[in-house]
Amino acid sequence: MNSHITFSLSVLVLLLWEASTAQSEHINRIFEEEVSSKANKSSAEDPSILFASYYGNHMVLQRAPKQAVIWGYSPNIGEVIKVKVEGQETVSATVYKDNIYGVGIWKVTLPPVSQPGPFTITASSALEAITLTDVLFGDVWICSGQSNMQFTVDKIFNGSAELADAANYPHIRLFDVSLKYSPVETLDLLSINEGWTLPSKRTLADGTGVYFSAVCWLYGKYLYQELGYPIGLIDTSYGGTPIEAWSSRDALGQCGLSSTEIVESFMHIDDGERDTPGYRNQLTPTQLWNCMIHPLLNMTIYGAIWYQGENNAMPGANTHKYNCTFPAMISDWRLKFNQGSLGQTDKLFPFGFVQLGPMNPDPPTSGFPEIRWHQTADYGYVPNPKMEKTFMAVAMDLADFISPWWPVHFRDKTDVGKRLVAGGLRVAYSRDVLADGPRPMTITEGSSNLTLTYTQPILYHNRDGFEILCSVQSKLSGPPPPQPPYWTSAPIISPLPTSITLYSLVCGEGQTVLGLRYSWRESPCAFKTCTVYSADNPLLPGPPFLVYRKMTGVAGTVHTIDWNTPTTIHN
């Protein structure tokens, strides 16, 4: 099959779907005439049946027990398309006219395939056949988000060695979606940056516009090292973008958000453009969902990983809606991938994410701590009652203030990949591995201290990062008003293997301790020197946490931290 023809015809159809209703009817006729003219030719290089754009040679399809879905186009409504994986039974589908997009579609669910392959897959009508070659069956993962997901392999620490090593993993296959945005949901991808390919220095970063996500690659590589069977990685990420752009109207509606308002961004937008009626870009809600996620829904996938949130940490960027928008987006993706794949993608497919890393060393204000908390739906950890089957890589300790790509793009993506895989193995593959750093379970009051008890042994790299919330109990019956609560540092006076004792007499006279938090800074520490790490797995830092609890002032009082209830930020 001539891949250029396949891609060109797919793009033609997609352009049609972006047009207005009147325009679409006209271009539909052009598409039908174009495909009909191809069908009238006998050359096998000009087929009238086509695979959708993201099916190609060298790809990975989802392995058993799930069943992969394959779909494509044909202008011949009512025609029967037979699809066969070599060595497997033939399945068939009848071409139907799609009610929304007005084109002929065929769609089949393949038999479950356990062997990795490679296989040849043939789709045929009564008159012609098209093929996919060197197809593997394994686990397919979507990788999405903004610039730290888009950040390429050549820019990371040890990037040259990583690129040189890539060719040693021929059973990992890569696919990269082009940067596009659309005001309407498209049936297929508008453009492809790099079709399915084997990893190499050239395909990971060739310096001419072909690139691939470092986090996605490292996650896939470490996962392959553990599983030993093919991994398919689909990179669909776009730098400088908010979560609203990756969310459908349905997901935004769950959080009471508009689907038309442009969200604040690190990227400059001219005020004249912003105020232009109907102006849209990659920062507008739904725009990236429409054409970088929605087209993939028909594909059977195993899971997704996500690195995004910096954009929503900005003032005016719905920071405190993230505890709704993120869980809503995950739930919406799960529902629609399940529906699009005819039930083959799991209704609760595993979803991993990177908790925001550091940026500036000591900014006057920052939304980063709030986004980190909201990424967990205000629980402080995952999975939790609101975010089932999710896993998280803590990254706040990977500061890189001299990064040539700006401090927010820290270069240590290796540890990110390893931490993500630890969570993925535990949550997505039910492996009995430690995937989370230490969290405190109780707070015990002393006469001049507070002791946090952990269920996991602690490795200390520092002795700071804890803060106490102090509140004045005014003795005045009238004005002036009492001083508002404030956070102040609480030094560690006793770091023990499973407990941390803090000096608590840091509030002024007449003040009461109302709460406790840890690592609540944009950049809590220098590189890998935050205070709390797991002694059992030093790779894993303790996550930031926030607890509101009024202390009694009575020594010996024990407070159990309720990790099953979200904690809303209010100070």
Side-chain angles (χ1 to χ4, degrees):
M1 179 184 66
N2 188 312
S3 59
H4 176 73
I5 292 173
T6 300
F7 181 71
S8 298
L9 287 175
S10 296
V11 170
L12 175 62
V13 181
L14 295 168
L15 292 175
L16 169 151
W17 299 324
E18 284 192 285
S20 67
T21 301
Q23 291 172 321
S24 68
E25 291 176 354
H26 172 67
I27 303 178
N28 262 335
R29 290 194 296 271
I30 295 176
F31 170 75
E32 290 169 358
E33 292 170 1
E34 180 74 10
V35 174
S36 295
S37 68
K38 300 294 183 183
N40 290 331
K41 297 180 180 180
S42 60
S43 171
E45 293 184 350
D46 287 335
S48 62
I49 57 173
L50 304 169
F51 291 110
S53 66
Y54 48 87
Y55 295 92
N57 299 336
H58 316 301
M59 76 178 303
V60 174
L61 289 172
Q62 183 56 46
R63 73 195 295 263
K66 297 298 182 181
Q67 296 173 250
V69 173
I70 293 184
W71 69 279
Y73 308 100
S74 171
N76 304 316
I77 307 302
E79 178 179 45
V80 174
I81 304 297
K82 296 180 179 181
V83 180
K84 182 175 178 59
V85 180
E86 61 178 314
Q88 305 291 321
E89 64 181 276
T90 300
V91 293
S92 62
T94 301
V95 178
Y96 64 94
K97 186 173 183 178
D98 186 271
N99 292 330
I100 297 176
Y101 301 102
V103 294
I105 301 293
W106 55 268
K107 188 174 182 179
V108 299
T109 302
L110 299 178
V113 179
S114 300
Q115 295 302 311
F119 295 94
T120 296
I121 299 177
T122 303
S124 59
S125 66
L127 298 176
E128 60 183 325
I130 53 177
T131 60
L132 301 174
T133 61
D134 188 33
V135 176
L136 303 181
F137 281 80
D139 285 345
V140 179
W141 284 82
I142 300 279
C143 307
S144 190
Q146 60 178 106
S147 56
N148 264 310
M149 181 61 81
Q150 197 178 355
F151 197 73
T152 54
V153 179
D154 57 316
K155 295 179 176 64
I156 67 172
F157 289 140
N158 294 321
S160 296
E162 197 62 53
L163 291 173
D165 187 48
N168 294 319
Y169 296 89
H171 284 176
I172 302 175
R173 304 294 172 85
L174 316 176
F175 183 91
D176 189 53
V177 178
S178 292
L179 309 185
K180 296 290 181 181
Y181 56 90
S182 170
V184 295
E185 292 178 342
T186 64
L187 177 61
D188 207 339
L189 296 173
L190 298 180
S191 181
I192 296 169
N193 182 55
E194 184 175 33
W196 286 103
T197 187
L198 280 68
S200 67
K201 180 178 181 180
R202 184 192 65 78
T203 57
L204 284 172
D206 73 350
T208 65
V210 172
Y211 56 85
F212 198 80
S213 161
V215 170
C216 189
W217 163 250
L218 291 168
Y219 177 77
K221 174 181 172 178
Y222 300 146
L223 196 60
Y224 174 80
Q225 290 173 346
E226 292 288 338
L227 301 178
Y229 57 74
I231 300 292
L233 301 172
I234 299 175
D235 177 12
T236 178
S237 53
Y238 200 136
T241 55
I243 193 170
E244 291 84 355
W246 297 99
S247 303
S248 73
R249 290 176 182 267
D250 294 335
L252 294 173
Q254 294 180 43
C255 304
L257 292 176
S258 165
S259 61
T260 58
E261 183 178 352
I262 295 177
V263 182
E264 292 297 326
S265 173
F266 288 103
M267 301 176 66
H268 174 73
I269 305 173
D270 183 83
D271 288 339
E273 290 182 308
R274 182 188 293 276
D275 296 335
T276 302
Y279 177 71
R280 299 286 183 272
N281 65 9
Q282 69 274 21
L283 308 179
T284 310
T286 76
Q287 299 289 298
L288 305 181
W289 156 265
N290 287 341
C291 64
M292 294 183 70
I293 298 296
H294 182 269
L296 302 171
L297 297 183
N298 291 340
M299 190 177 201
T300 308
I301 65 168
Y302 192 87
I305 58 171
W306 173 260
Y307 195 161
Q308 190 277 336
E310 298 91 343
N311 221 79
N312 290 95
M314 295 184 61
N318 297 324
T319 299
H320 290 296
K321 285 280 190 178
Y322 208 92
N323 56 1
C324 178
T325 52
F326 189 36
M329 186 200 77
I330 294 172
S331 296
D332 189 65
W333 281 25
R334 284 171 165 171
L335 172 66
K336 290 173 179 173
F337 269 99
N338 175 261
Q339 293 173 338
S341 66
L342 305 176
Q344 290 304 315
T345 297
D346 197 285
K347 291 180 180 179
L348 280 176
F349 68 75
F351 194 105
F353 63 94
V354 183
Q355 195 177 44
L356 279 197
M359 188 164 72
N360 297 309
D362 192 23
T365 60
S366 174
F368 274 47
E370 285 76 12
I371 287 291
R372 289 187 189 116
W373 192 247
H374 293 330
Q375 284 179 304
T376 68
D378 297 349
Y379 283 85
Y381 69 98
V382 296
N384 60 51
K386 192 173 181 179
M387 299 177 67
E388 299 177 79
K389 213 168 181 180
T390 57
F391 55 97
M392 175 177 76
V394 175
M396 65 181 181
D397 65 324
L398 303 179
D400 188 7
F401 302 133
I402 61 171
S403 170
W405 316 109
W406 200 26
V408 71
H409 300 131
F410 60 91
R411 289 167 287 179
D412 181 17
K413 296 301 193 284
T414 300
D415 282 306
V416 170
K418 290 178 178 178
R419 292 171 184 179
L420 266 179
V421 165
L425 289 173
R426 184 173 183 85
V427 172
Y429 295 95
S430 301
R431 295 279 188 93
D432 185 17
V433 298
L434 182 62
D436 304 301
R439 282 184 290 125
M441 295 295 116
T442 63
I443 304 171
T444 302
E445 296 187 53
S447 58
S448 61
N449 58 65
L450 298 174
T451 298
L452 307 179
T453 302
Y454 291 75
T455 57
Q456 188 182 144
I458 302 167
L459 174 67
Y460 295 90
H461 287 180
N462 217 317
R463 287 199 179 191
D464 57 22
F466 290 90
E467 295 174 284
I468 282 175
L469 181 63
C470 302
S471 180
V472 171
Q473 294 181 337
S474 177
K475 298 179 181 179
L476 301 175
S477 58
Q483 180 180 339
Y486 64 93
W487 292 97
T488 189
S489 178
I492 295 176
I493 56 177
S494 177
L496 297 177
T498 58
S499 67
I500 298 174
T501 300
L502 308 173
Y503 182 64
S504 63
L505 299 182
V506 292
C507 299
E509 183 180 356
Q511 293 177 322
T512 302
V513 175
L514 297 179
L516 185 67
R517 68 186 187 186
Y518 169 67
S519 286
W520 209 263
R521 291 286 185 273
E522 180 171 294
S523 303
C525 58
F527 182 70
K528 298 177 80 168
T529 60
C530 285
T531 299
V532 175
Y533 290 79
S534 168
D536 292 332
N537 184 353
L539 174 71
L540 303 173
F545 70 80
L546 171 68
V547 175
Y548 294 115
R549 187 65 58 88
K550 185 176 181 179
M551 298 295 114
T552 65
V554 178
T557 302
V558 178
H559 304 269
T560 300
I561 299 174
D562 181 9
W563 290 109
N564 292 316
T565 303
T567 297
T568 302
I569 300 171
H570 56 76
N571 292 102

